Amino acid sequence: MSLKVRDLRVYYRTLAGDVKALDGADFELADGEITGLVGESGSGKSTLGKSLIKLDGRMRYVSGTVELDGAELPVRDSARMNDFRFREVSLIPQYAMSAMNPTRKVGRMIADLLESRGERFRALRPELVRRLELVGLGEQVLGRYPIELSGGMKQRTVMVLSTLLDPSLLIADEVTSALDVSNQRAVAETLAGFRDRGFVKSMIFVTHDVALVNQIADTITVMYAGRLAEKGPAKTVVNSPRHPYTRMLISALPEVGVSHGERRLSGIPGSPPALLDPPAGCRFRDRCPLAFDKCEQEPPFAEVEPDHSVACWKA
Amino acid sequence: MLKLDRVSKVYRVGSFGGEQLRAVGDVSFEVRPGQVVSLIGESGSGKSTIGKMVLRTSRITSGTISFDGADISRYRRTGELKEYYRRVQGVFQDPFSSYNPVFKADRVFEMIRTEYFAAVPAAEWRAKLDAALRTVRLDPAQVLGKYPHQLSGGQLQRLLIARALLLDIELLVADEIISMLDASTRIDVLNLLADLKERGLGILFITHDLSLGNYVSDQTVILRGGSVVERGATRRVFANPLHPYTRRLLSSVPQLHKTWAEVDAELRARDAGAERRCAYHERLPDGGPDPLAAVDEDHHVACFALDGAPCPDAARTPVG
Ligand SMILES: Nc1ncnc2c1ncn2[C@@H]1O[C@H](COP(=O)(O)OP(=O)(O)OP(=O)(O)O)[C@@H](O)[C@H]1O
Ligand SMILES: Nc1ncnc2c1ncn2[C@@H]1O[C@H](COP(=O)(O)OP(=O)(O)OP(=O)(O)O)[C@@H](O)[C@H]1O
Ligand code: SF4
Ligand SMILES: [Mg+2]
Ligand SMILES: [Mg+2]
């Protein structure tokens, strides 16, 4: 087992009170597993990703433990996490592409970053170039400014850099959202290739796009309002989802070949609860067509069959 | 209703505007009442530039765009342009950028009111506004009087569509209005567009997502590098894509129940043995003035050679 997360809770401090953005996550990743993390905007996907790397000033660790390759990952202690970040756990943040410093050449920027981590750029350069070539970029990108690269090229550069030290866990947060279909496919296949080559052991691929992640993921994890709703093998979650939210989410996806004249898809009525003061019990209750009185208690995230867990009283 | 006839756009770029960039080249298509036309292409293919020319926020370099037979570049007097905007409106990708965070979100309606409905009594205006909000399935009590940060991206986007509807528009230019939204909200906005179309609205639906385009549109225009490579009834273009570029684009679309490898294998099997010749030059061996050739009823395709390369199937490289 490469990653083991138990009851992880991380809130945001605000003037109005704590925003319970990650409120009890329990899951595991096997060696070599890519999980697609999906869910509505605001469900806590990025918060989960950040919690495994670095809590920013407004995030408050509340409870839980994380184990990576059998050793405790000190997620609550930002200073101790320094030894793990980038080497053992690496994150490609949402909007990484637009965060590149426009006045620095790509090579210079990479050198700065590596050196700030106590690594020697010169020693790593041959491997860096080899991997850039692997993703279809030549050594010459190192001499370019970010503005001279297309979105897809920038994204591939960031991916190579984040995995250069062969971290055990990679968290890729919405790395394909800003790209067009051909680049989306190239980037997703590249990441899966990194796993196949052993550059990373396991991966959390955060996205809105279930159809895309289903192309490369072994498992799919669904979040709803700060909690995990379902996690199982990708095929099972797509073909026979057990959580009512997952079912509605999957059936709301337009596919090539589907036109509204022939088959009108329906959305999910209502909106998710505020996380500042979420209602007790199942957080999907307001929108759930199957809700009954028991749903006033919180359903446990429990295994319904091997490797398939669901948080729903009706599953 | 809306007709583009060999429209091109050249931007001047470089330090002193010394270089030219052909963002749109020789594009022709039509949008009829009650029709959704999707304009599909990768980033930088010229989609937004076309939308802007239709909305007259970007000048046409050559060719004509006409609306109900009138050349829109001829509108000079402010009255003419105001009348055009009463009938044609646009909604854009990022709903947040259309709002000023310090003002309440419904301020976007006030501008329409002073511009077009100054004489309408308050009660009548309110009824009109409520009706427009209900059309986009928003509850007036829930959204009016709120600040932008109190509303979701989907709600903000629908407010902008409601604003366009207040004007009884005939044509809506929707530029990537779905891509900022998540899956569950997307389908609501798509269904809304489908309902509006049923009521006779023409929609120019700009997207890089082929499955969204396929879901709502009657006509599809595939753009590459500013030029149309294939165009026609959505059914035909998606079921029988001819241009190698369209085929490549379609094979990259992630499908829920098929892997990319399976799609590739299907395409290979379909093409096995059959040598794919350029469908344009098959019809027009000597080329012609029109960059597209009709291959079927309501299905047109451009030369298969890309980026100005000579086409091996051309009898003679067309002049020009
Ligand atoms: N700094 C912050 N202060 C207070 N609340 C925050 C902060 N950052 C995020 N939140 C809230 O925490 C919740 C989870 O946010 P998060 O960014 O993890 O969502 P997400 O699933 O990644 O959404 P998206 O798909 O839009 O990226 C949201 O309700 C959000 O409003
Ligand atoms: N104001 C401008 N000045 C110079 N060049 C421009 C300008 N606006 C757009 N371009 C260029 O014109 C081309 C077409 O751009 P356009 O915005 O129309 O593409 P698009 O298809 O909408 O792309 P996207 O999917 O990224 O929105 C691009 O090469 C772009 O860099
Ligand atoms: S626990 Fe109840 S409310 Fe929640 S998803 Fe299951 S049936 Fe619906
Ligand atoms: Mg996020
Ligand atoms: Mg655009």
Side-chain angles (χ1 to χ4, degrees), chain B residues 1 62 83 87 100 105 109 154 175 198 206 211 221 240 266 290 302 310-311:
Chain B
M1 177 172 51
S62 67
E83 185 51 32
R87 302 170 69 191
N100 184 330
F109 298 116
D175 189 353
E198 236 101 86
I206 296 176
S211 27
V221 179
N240 184 24
E266 270 176 27
D290 192 335
C311 179

Side-chain angles (χ1 to χ4, degrees), chain B residues 101-117:
Chain B
V102 300
F103 295 117
K104 289 185 177 148
D106 44 27
R107 207 174 108 104
V108 297
F109 298 116
E110 278 312 308
M111 304 191 242
I112 291 284
R113 182 167 185 204
T114 40
E115 186 81 354
Y116 291 97
F117 301 98

Side-chain angles (χ1 to χ4, degrees), chain B:
Chain B
M1 177 172 51
L2 179 79
K3 193 164 178 187
L4 279 80
D5 188 19
R6 311 200 57 174
V7 172
S8 300
K9 171 78 192 185
V10 176
Y11 285 113
R12 296 197 171 281
V13 294
S15 356
F16 301 101
E19 285 167 60
Q20 298 202 329
L21 186 135
R22 196 174 157 87
V24 174
D26 230 354
V27 167
S28 307
F29 65 88
E30 248 182 277
V31 186
R32 301 207 169 91
Q35 202 178 48
V36 181
V37 176
S38 42
L39 201 53
I40 296 176
E42 294 180 27
S43 182
S45 57
K47 305 181 297 292
S48 296
T49 304
I50 292 176
K52 285 183 205 153
M53 289 190 287
V54 169
L55 290 167
R56 283 231 4 191
T57 54
S58 178
R59 205 187 287 278
I60 304 164
T61 308
S62 67
T64 44
I65 300 182
S66 52
F67 187 73
D68 277 350
D71 182 347
I72 66 162
S73 64
R74 295 257 165 91
Y75 297 143
R76 287 282 178 273
R77 289 180 291 114
T78 43
E80 283 173 329
L81 205 51
K82 186 170 160 183
E83 185 51 32
Y84 182 60
Y85 288 138
R86 187 195 283 278
R87 302 170 69 191
V88 179
Q89 283 279 315
V91 178
F92 304 95
Q93 177 159 16
D94 176 5
F96 300 96
S97 65
S98 299
Y99 294 91
N100 184 330
V102 300
F103 295 117
K104 289 185 177 148
D106 44 27
R107 207 174 108 104
V108 297
F109 298 116
E110 278 312 308
M111 304 191 242
I112 291 284
R113 182 167 185 204
T114 40
E115 186 81 354
Y116 291 97
F117 301 98
V120 172
E124 194 182 315
W125 167 253
R126 180 59 206 253
K128 204 171 159 54
L129 183 55
D130 281 8
L133 291 173
R134 292 227 158 77
T135 313
V136 299
R137 282 196 303 286
L138 286 173
D139 175 0
Q142 243 182 47
V143 295
L144 294 178
K146 295 268 167 66
Y147 288 95
H149 72 266
Q150 294 172 308
L151 299 169
S152 74
Q155 287 173 321
L156 291 172
Q157 199 60 283
R158 277 179 283 173
L159 279 177
L160 293 173
I161 300 174
R163 178 177 72 166
L165 296 180
L166 276 168
L167 295 170
D168 304 318
I169 51 166
E170 293 160 49
L171 176 74
L172 178 71
V173 176
D175 189 353
E176 301 276 11
I177 61 172
I178 314 276
S179 32
M180 291 278 290
L181 309 177
D182 60 39
S184 39
T185 329
R186 272 181 187 188
I187 201 68
D188 287 334
V189 176
L190 279 178
N191 283 336
L192 169 66
L193 293 183
D195 291 343
L196 293 172
K197 153 199 141 79
E198 236 101 86
R199 295 177 11 188
L201 188 71
I203 301 174
L204 181 58
F205 183 74
I206 296 176
T207 184
H208 63 239
D209 188 322
L210 286 94
S211 27
L212 299 181
N214 178 216
Y215 182 70
V216 289
S217 69
D218 308 288
Q219 289 276 313
T220 294
V221 179
I222 310 273
L223 274 181
R224 181 178 187 280
S227 304
V228 178
V229 298
E230 190 157 354
R231 157 170 76 79
T234 299
R235 251 176 315 113
R236 291 195 199 278
V237 174
F238 276 74
N240 184 24
L242 291 172
H243 199 282
Y245 178 72
T246 314
R247 296 161 76 88
R248 196 171 85 218
L249 209 56
L250 270 170
S251 68
S252 297
V253 179
Q255 299 191 37
L256 203 47
H257 299 290
K258 249 186 231 168
T259 65
W260 280 319
E262 282 164 358
V263 173
D264 287 345
E266 270 176 27
L267 276 183
R268 265 198 310 276
R270 194 158 72 181
D271 290 351
E275 201 204 328
R276 290 185 53 77
R277 297 202 32 215
C278 169
Y280 175 82
H281 283 106
E282 227 168 51
R283 300 295 180 298
L284 302 170
D286 296 327
D290 192 335
L292 297 184
V295 286
D296 201 340
E297 197 198 326
D298 210 0
H299 194 172
H300 306 258
V301 69
C303 172
F304 285 10
L306 292 172
D307 305 320
C311 179
D313 300 325
R316 218 171 45 213
T317 314
V319 198

Side-chain angles (χ1 to χ4, degrees), chain A residues 10-14 17-22 37-50 56-59 94-95 173-174 206-208 223 225-226 273-276, chain B residues 180 182:
Chain A
V10 172
Y11 298 169
Y12 290 98
R13 277 184 280 248
T14 71
D18 282 349
V19 174
K20 303 186 176 67
L22 180 62
L37 181 59
V38 303
E40 261 168 86
S41 185
S43 57
K45 305 182 295 296
S46 297
T47 307
L48 172 56
K50 283 189 275 179
D56 69 41
R58 303 179 59 185
M59 295 167 89
Q94 201 167 355
Y95 316 114
D173 195 351
E174 299 279 6
V206 179
T207 182
H208 283 313
M223 276 192 88
L275 297 178
L276 191 57
Chain B
M180 291 278 290
D182 60 39

